[in-house]
Amino acid sequence: MKQLAAITLAGMLGITSFTCQAGGGSEMAPAHQYEHTLQTISLTQGEALLAQPGVLFFDVNTLELWAEGFIPGAIFFNVSNWKELLPEAKDTVMVFYCANRLCNASEIAAHEVIKLGYTNVMQMHDGIYGWRLSGRPTEKP
């Protein structure tokens, strides 16, 4: 009976083989290709950087997610005038994060900042969800 249900579900979903039938006949390419490499850091590295004076953390989440809690001292970056939030010194250490590894907002923001000439830009790919799940402290606005 379970096999019949699986076959019926597969038929309803149009699953007929294991090959991808979504392409236009050409090889798939990454969605974004950048001229530079973005340094990603772990939560442990982020925590160590948070303890260092002068390191800036930028939260690139939505306002709703920001309101649920952010890394202590982090600057809300998801605003139209984000360039005004950047430091004058182009070698300032900056860490960008968003929700988690599935969110790419912090990656996009970090690349944009690098394009402006900043040299110590990092992305913490585990984001605020990873930070919270690991028991690290957060602040609320």
Side-chain angles (χ1 to χ4, degrees), residues 106-120:
S106 61
E107 176 185 356
I108 293 167
H111 280 293
E112 289 301 313
V113 170
I114 291 170
K115 283 190 218 175
L116 295 174
Y118 289 88
T119 57
N120 286 321

Side-chain angles (χ1 to χ4, degrees), residues 44 46 65-66 75 78 83 99 122 125:
T44 303
L65 191 53
W66 163 264
I75 301 163
N78 199 356
K83 288 181 183 177
M122 301 170 204
H125 51 262

